[in-house]
Amino acid sequence: MTDMTSSVQSTFVRPAQARRDIGIKRRYAAERRFKAYGLTAILIGLFFLFVLLWTVVSKGYTAFQQTAITLPIEFSEKIIDPKNERGANPAKLMTANYPLLVRDALVKALGIDPANKPLVKQATDMVSASARTQLRDLVVANPAIIGTTATVSLLAEGNIDSANKGQIDLTVAEANRKVKDQQIEWMKKLSETGAMAKQFNTGLFTYGASSRPEASGIGVAALGSLYMMLIVLVLALPIGVAASIYLEEFAPKNRLTDLIEVNINNLAAVPSIVYGLLGLSIFINFAGMPRSAAVVGGLVLTLMTLPTIIIATRAALKAVPPSIRSAALGLGASKMQTIFHHVLPLAMPGVLTGTIIGLAHALGETAPLLLIGMVAFVVDYPGSPMDPSTALPVQIYMWANEAERAFVERTSGAIMILLIFLVVMNLGAILLRRRFERRW
Amino acid sequence: MKSLKLTVAALVASAAFAGVAIARDQIQVAGSSTVLPYAKIVAETFGETFPDFKTPVVESGGTGAGLKEFCKGVGPDTIDIANASRQIKDSELETCKAAGVTEVQEVKIGYDGIVFATDSGNADLKLVPKDLYLALAAELVIDGKLVANPYKKWSEVNKDLPDVEIAAYIPGEKHGTREVFDEKMLAHGCKDAGADVAIKGLVADEKEAAKKCIAVRKDGLAIDIDGDYTETLARIASNKNGIGVFGLSFYENNADKLKVATVSGVVPSGATIASGEYPVSRPLFFYVKKAHLGVIPGLKEYVEFFLDDQMVGPDSPLAAYGLVPAPDAEREADRKAFTDGNML
């Protein structure tokens, strides 16, 4: 409207200039406005990315450190094997009362009266309950340690760890927090002597799931994810490439192939939870495969990734110029030779890029795994893809629902690890494309 | 489509080959997310104490979903135990029996308290079911008529309550906790307010009248939380005047950020819940397939270990986490019921 009135006005006032008014100013203004919109869009995107990264990193970086209490532990024979039966019955070493060793060491280090039961309990509560297995493994691996004193670094209990990192508000009334005044005093004492210190948290990478935050890690989840990625790679890459070569190079162009193409494009957009339902009914209920196993997860993710790979591969094949095919055919190569000796090698960077992006997508997927029982608490490492395991994003989801404070940082820590994996995979895809892609 | 079908067929064929003859040597558990933390502690300790058995796998996903998996049938490809934050329904038991799961053993593990809490910076809060009902009901009987809940502030409900806008974060309807909340707080408060009689006078159908008592307002002042307690905690952190519903164990782990409300003058704690003084609590269960006992290695030992006093007793890791142990005699009876093989 305003445009019209202004042009009408100018016609009326200065007829001579009207023909020369081609709206230069207006068009430049529009261009500037559009540029500003684009820039704003990018800035908003960057802002949210920054906020996301900031919240994750600021919450999560502490997860890579873990408080440990280093104590001289006396592996007293009286406690571990009072009747000296370990020669005849080595299983005795498995069930010995190892927490007593920790108790005695703490009582000694903190100078507590062993008869004061509540005080002793507060002291032992500072050390993770995982100390039992830690000491047991030490003794079982090396029974000669019995009767000697060795310095052992024990994990601090989750709340003590959080308090040591300043994540628990210690100013509130003692009844309202998990760390008691006496324990804070002991923490100070142990820190001064150097017995309590933060170490690099290797456990975060090696432990399986645990109800104790200090002893939980992404080990099982990472292995489960690795199994699934291998299955996806081994199945989806050959099937996807074969399907696309056939569709692109051999299949006749008719209604049926059009229908297939439409369906593949649709499948790429199907919500992933649908693949989970499919996996539950086909692989678990019909084929009788085990629940919670990485093999089922891998198969479900394969189905989910296939359309992505097929679409990327077909695009890569299409991008190879027809002159290459004609030249090969003209020199007497068969169609098969043309494809495998000339077309496919040239399309390979595109195929691999598509595969890696598909894999990265599959790595971050949780929804389909929920239905096949992989959102689970799994402690033992899976020996094979047939054993129960979880996946990295699932572990993040499960930690996010935990009540203990120490799981908050672990959730963000695990997100950082997953993000690093994804960045590395996507970088790999970009590098492959940069390095090997040919332009015509 | 054809190529995809072929692909699926090929995958199924390979799957069927791979799936042949797997004898499961690992207990599989699924069900309630309320029971999950307890089941995790027991499973982990079980794995550490019995090195001959593998650590059980515990899935979460909710009571209903767990029981559905449980009732799929008998055999190594079905789960052994379903955790439940409520008792199994008759309809679920029928599904079970129709699928061949005829022998189901019910095991009670203890009690769980449901608490109301606000941000730790707020003044002490004293709730009674009546006030909560008046604040959260969708419709109230005023001057002999059912009208939409007019109250916007807690102080309008009861002048002893704080003068802030009503904001309650309550568990969504898919949660087992919601049922307890409806029954122990809303229905109870409805009765205390005398509204149940008044509603019956206005609504002829008895079922409809009972539903009116527990219908929660949908005008944004009562917010359903479909996620877990961590989400409720985050909501309270952003709205300091909000009141949230938590499990006792979750509250105890976050007591530095939250202030718990008394219900009818009773402070929630393990002791007051065990004695029955604190009104909002419920028993927690799990269900075992009897046919799997002795077939799945370690299943019997796991259940016995779970019921042992070193796990669910007054001085046990589960009690330390927030489970309210059943009284001594009741625990003894539960153990006996399992060894006797009592079935539903």
Side-chain angles (χ1 to χ4, degrees):
Chain A
M1 271 302 279
T2 48
D3 289 355
M4 254 178 71
T5 47
S6 70
S7 71
V8 168
Q9 265 172 8
S10 55
T11 334
F12 183 71
V13 179
R14 277 179 301 208
Q17 275 200 345
R19 254 179 294 139
R20 294 181 57 198
D21 182 11
I22 49 176
I24 289 259
K25 250 189 183 171
R26 186 170 47 78
R27 288 192 290 165
Y28 272 126
E31 191 178 322
R32 273 197 302 276
R33 269 203 308 279
F34 182 75
K35 270 189 188 159
Y37 296 151
L39 200 63
T40 324
I42 287 180
L43 284 179
I44 291 174
L46 279 179
F47 171 74
F48 281 113
L49 178 69
F50 178 76
V51 169
L52 175 83
L53 286 179
W54 173 253
T55 37
V56 169
V57 173
S58 63
K59 270 190 199 163
Y61 75 98
T62 46
F64 296 96
Q65 286 202 315
Q66 160 71 35
T67 309
I69 302 176
T70 311
L71 292 173
I73 302 269
E74 191 191 341
F75 289 90
S76 146
E77 188 165 14
K78 251 194 252 160
I79 291 173
I80 300 174
D81 190 12
K83 294 184 200 138
N84 202 3
E85 306 164 290
R86 60 182 181 272
N89 184 8
K92 273 277 161 213
L93 290 182
M94 297 298 284
T95 51
N97 195 350
Y98 294 104
L100 268 187
L101 301 177
V102 179
R103 192 197 70 184
D104 290 352
L106 271 170
V107 162
K108 218 178 188 181
L110 297 169
I112 316 168
D113 174 15
N116 189 342
K117 285 273 153 64
L119 212 57
V120 171
K121 170 115 182 31
Q122 279 200 19
T124 48
D125 281 350
M126 291 175 68
V127 174
S128 168
S130 312
R132 167 198 280 272
T133 31
Q134 197 187 341
L135 294 182
R136 185 188 70 193
D137 293 349
L138 270 179
V139 171
V140 171
N142 175 21
I145 204 171
I146 298 174
T148 64
T149 302
T151 310
V152 182
S153 190
L154 302 164
L155 293 174
E157 200 268 336
N159 286 309
I160 299 291
D161 181 38
S162 297
N164 194 31
K165 290 171 181 167
Q167 289 158 347
I168 289 183
D169 186 358
L170 297 177
T171 56
V172 299
E174 189 182 7
N176 285 345
R177 52 181 144 86
K178 286 265 166 173
V179 183
K180 303 298 165 208
D181 288 343
Q182 180 66 57
Q183 291 178 324
I184 298 171
E185 219 168 277
W186 284 333
M187 280 169 64
K188 277 185 196 143
K189 191 174 168 190
L190 287 172
S191 299
E192 273 162 21
T193 58
M196 181 185 259
K198 283 187 249 177
Q199 302 175 339
F200 181 70
N201 192 359
T202 43
L204 183 65
F205 299 92
T206 55
Y207 293 129
S210 169
S211 55
R212 308 167 194 129
E214 68 276 8
S216 46
I218 57 159
V220 170
L223 189 60
S225 278
L226 180 73
Y227 282 145
M228 290 198 289
M229 290 306 106
L230 284 178
I231 291 170
V232 173
L233 191 65
V234 165
L235 288 178
L237 185 60
I239 295 175
V241 170
S244 13
I245 290 180
Y246 178 78
L247 281 175
E248 200 56 43
E249 306 284 343
F250 292 100
K253 288 262 171 267
N254 55 25
R255 281 236 177 116
L256 186 67
T257 46
D258 282 350
L259 192 70
I260 290 175
E261 185 164 351
V262 169
N263 269 301
I264 289 174
N265 290 339
N266 275 340
L267 277 175
V270 165
S272 53
I273 190 101
V274 175
Y275 288 100
L277 282 168
L278 184 81
L280 175 68
S281 58
I282 292 186
F283 299 126
I284 293 181
N285 292 348
F286 175 69
M289 302 181 75
R291 274 182 81 76
S292 311
V295 62
V296 182
L299 290 173
V300 167
L301 294 180
T302 301
L303 294 182
M304 205 191 78
T305 323
L306 261 180
T308 317
I309 293 184
I310 292 178
I311 291 170
T313 307
R314 291 189 66 180
L317 290 173
K318 258 189 207 140
V320 177
S323 55
I324 303 269
R325 293 186 183 81
S326 311
L329 290 172
L331 285 173
S334 74
K335 189 151 190 184
M336 178 116 171
Q337 284 172 325
T338 308
I339 291 164
F340 282 96
H341 294 173
H342 302 282
V343 179
L344 195 57
L346 289 172
M348 220 47 200
V351 175
L352 290 180
T353 311
T355 309
I356 292 174
I357 289 171
L359 277 182
H361 184 188
L363 179 64
E365 205 50 78
T366 343
L369 305 181
L370 182 73
L371 291 158
I372 55 170
M374 286 190 80
V375 179
F377 174 75
V378 186
V379 176
D380 298 331
Y381 267 88
S384 75
M386 305 302 280
D387 292 331
S389 67
T390 54
L392 271 177
V394 170
Q395 193 63 66
I396 293 170
Y397 169 71
M398 294 201 52
W399 281 351
N401 290 333
E402 295 277 0
E404 284 99 336
R405 191 65 41 84
F407 275 117
V408 175
E409 58 171 22
R410 278 176 171 72
T411 308
S412 296
I415 293 175
M416 284 163 70
I417 297 171
L418 183 66
L419 279 180
I420 291 171
F421 274 123
L422 292 176
V423 167
V424 166
M425 286 173 87
N426 284 321
L427 267 184
I430 292 173
L431 280 181
L432 272 177
R433 205 163 48 213
R434 281 271 166 84
R435 189 142 166 66
F436 297 108
E437 193 169 56
R438 287 188 52 182
R439 292 176 191 282
W440 287 282
Chain B
M1 214 44 197
K2 211 174 178 185
S3 80
L4 193 85
K5 267 191 185 160
L6 281 176
T7 313
V8 173
L11 286 177
V12 171
S14 64
F17 274 115
V20 166
I22 310 160
R24 187 150 58 81
D25 58 353
Q26 200 157 24
I27 302 167
Q28 287 198 322
V29 186
S32 164
S33 51
T34 310
V35 184
L36 179 73
Y38 305 119
K40 282 201 293 205
I41 295 173
V42 177
E44 190 175 10
T45 322
F46 177 77
E48 287 170 1
T49 322
F50 295 85
D52 296 346
F53 300 122
K54 283 191 178 172
T55 310
V57 172
V58 190
E59 283 176 45
S60 79
T63 303
L67 283 169
K68 202 173 153 206
E69 269 313 307
F70 183 78
C71 290
K72 276 216 169 124
V74 177
D77 52 346
T78 59
I79 62 170
D80 310 307
I81 292 179
N83 293 328
S85 56
R86 55 167 169 79
Q87 235 164 345
I88 190 169
K89 288 181 193 155
D90 289 341
S91 57
E92 287 167 332
L93 201 59
E94 270 164 36
T95 327
C96 255
K97 291 201 165 142
V101 191
T102 47
E103 302 175 313
V104 178
Q105 286 197 277
E106 182 181 85
V107 180
K108 188 169 79 221
I109 60 175
Y111 293 86
D112 176 40
I114 292 166
V115 307
F116 299 84
T118 59
D119 186 77
S120 58
N122 288 339
D124 289 341
L125 190 65
K126 294 186 179 76
L127 286 176
V128 291
K130 184 185 160 192
D131 291 343
L132 205 71
Y133 164 73
L134 290 175
L136 298 183
E139 290 175 309
L140 294 175
V141 181
I142 293 174
D143 298 334
K145 267 186 280 180
L146 264 181
V147 293
N149 195 334
Y151 301 126
K152 298 279 181 219
K153 288 182 166 183
W154 287 103
S155 54
E156 292 168 8
V157 174
N158 178 346
K159 59 180 180 353
D160 294 338
L161 290 171
D163 183 26
V164 294
E165 204 163 275
I166 295 170
Y169 301 99
I170 58 176
E173 276 164 10
K174 69 163 191 160
H175 281 277
T177 317
R178 177 63 173 269
E179 242 166 83
V180 186
F181 173 78
D182 285 350
E183 183 193 331
K184 299 271 167 87
M185 292 304 283
L186 294 182
H188 194 192
C190 187
K191 203 185 254 172
D192 287 355
D196 56 338
V197 183
I199 290 175
K200 264 179 207 151
L202 295 166
V203 183
D205 187 27
E206 206 155 295
K207 265 192 183 166
E208 277 298 310
K211 261 190 204 163
K212 288 266 187 244
C213 255
I214 57 165
V216 171
R217 62 199 302 175
K218 300 246 184 268
D219 53 1
L221 299 189
I223 298 116
D224 278 15
I225 302 286
D226 282 323
D228 284 79
Y229 295 135
T230 29
E231 189 188 341
T232 316
L233 183 67
R235 295 289 195 110
I236 299 268
S238 61
N239 178 2
K240 304 279 183 210
N241 292 328
I243 293 182
V245 177
F246 297 95
L248 179 70
S249 58
F250 190 93
Y251 158 71
E252 285 185 339
N253 269 300
N254 291 284
D256 59 332
K257 289 186 173 178
L258 293 170
K259 176 166 271 175
V260 75
T262 61
V263 173
S264 307
V266 185
V267 181
S269 73
T272 53
I273 290 166
S275 68
E277 263 179 276
Y278 185 77
V280 206
S281 71
R282 57 161 164 199
L284 300 176
F285 302 91
F286 64 83
Y287 293 89
V288 192
K289 274 179 203 164
K290 201 176 181 191
H292 285 197
L293 292 173
V295 178
I296 303 293
L299 184 57
K300 188 162 173 285
E301 288 82 354
Y302 172 76
V303 178
E304 281 167 358
F305 185 70
F306 208 132
L307 291 178
D308 196 286
D309 267 0
Q310 62 170 314
M311 275 295 128
V312 291
D315 191 25
S316 63
L318 293 198
Y321 189 84
L323 182 78
V324 179
D328 292 351
E330 211 177 305
R331 287 203 309 277
E332 198 50 54
D334 289 340
R335 277 193 284 267
K336 195 169 173 304
F338 175 70
T339 30
D340 289 353
N342 292 358
M343 287 178 300
L344 285 177

